[in-house]
Amino acid sequence: MNRANWFQVSQDGAKVLGALHHYATTGTGLEPALIHLVFLRVSQLNGCAHCIDVHTRDLIKHGMSVDKIVLVPVWEEVEYLFSDQERAALAWTEEVTRVSETHASDEAYSAASTAFGEKALVELTIVIAAMNAINRMGISFRLKPRARA
């Protein structure tokens, strides 16, 4: 089934989501590699093939090894590959992306706040929220990955 091209059907809506994505990638004080790591993990949790493809490529461009990238889904089992801040970001990413289950617990908030501080934690949460919104559009309208057979 062909689905609507949401960029064309709602150009104003696409601009708004684009502006949110632009802020998430350029307007925060967070490192670009950390942002794309969070984007990748959100996309993995949500199952957005297009975004997994894009953000894996972005992480490679930012110098992250393929060995590390392929282990992002099991980061807790290979904690030694990830910095303290990356682990805190990944934990908070999972907490916020699964908010209907976790309700962003006080324990998770406290851990993330300790690792990031108030402003950076708000910015990290905006990054997570932005990718969750984009994933919902990509998945709903079956945005295809760039990967080719």
Side-chain angles (χ1 to χ4, degrees):
M1 165 184 261
N2 287 329
R3 299 200 183 193
N5 179 328
W6 66 276
F7 294 99
Q8 292 175 349
V9 173
S10 181
Q11 292 178 7
D12 289 341
K15 285 178 188 174
V16 170
L17 281 178
L20 177 59
H21 182 269
H22 182 74
Y23 177 79
T25 56
T26 65
T28 72
L30 301 172
E31 291 294 319
L34 182 69
I35 292 167
H36 291 291
L37 178 64
V38 166
F39 281 173
L40 176 61
R41 188 64 186 128
V42 169
S43 299
Q44 290 170 337
L45 293 167
N46 289 325
C48 185
H50 172 79
C51 294
I52 291 169
D53 183 35
V54 167
H55 299 297
T56 297
R57 294 171 193 276
D58 289 338
L59 285 168
I60 291 168
K61 286 179 195 168
H62 284 284
M64 187 174 287
S65 72
V66 172
D67 291 342
K68 186 173 176 178
I69 293 169
V70 299
L71 293 170
V72 169
V74 292
W75 66 270
E76 289 178 296
E77 293 181 39
V78 289
E79 288 185 347
Y80 60 90
L81 289 176
F82 297 91
S83 71
D84 291 344
Q85 190 172 58
E86 288 171 333
R87 289 192 311 272
L90 289 165
W92 186 241
T93 296
E94 292 179 5
E95 191 80 10
V96 172
T97 298
R98 295 177 172 144
V99 72
S100 67
E101 300 165 26
T102 68
H103 304 284
S105 71
D106 289 342
E107 297 80 13
Y109 179 86
S110 180
S113 184
T114 298
F116 283 94
E118 190 173 70
K119 185 174 190 325
L121 181 58
V122 169
E123 290 177 338
L124 175 63
T125 308
I126 290 169
V127 167
I128 296 164
M131 188 48 48
N132 271 290
I134 292 166
N135 282 174
R136 276 141 181 79
M137 297 304 291
I139 293 165
S140 298
F141 295 99
R142 301 291 190 265
L143 199 55
K144 302 289 183 228
R146 288 186 259 172
R148 300 288 173 241

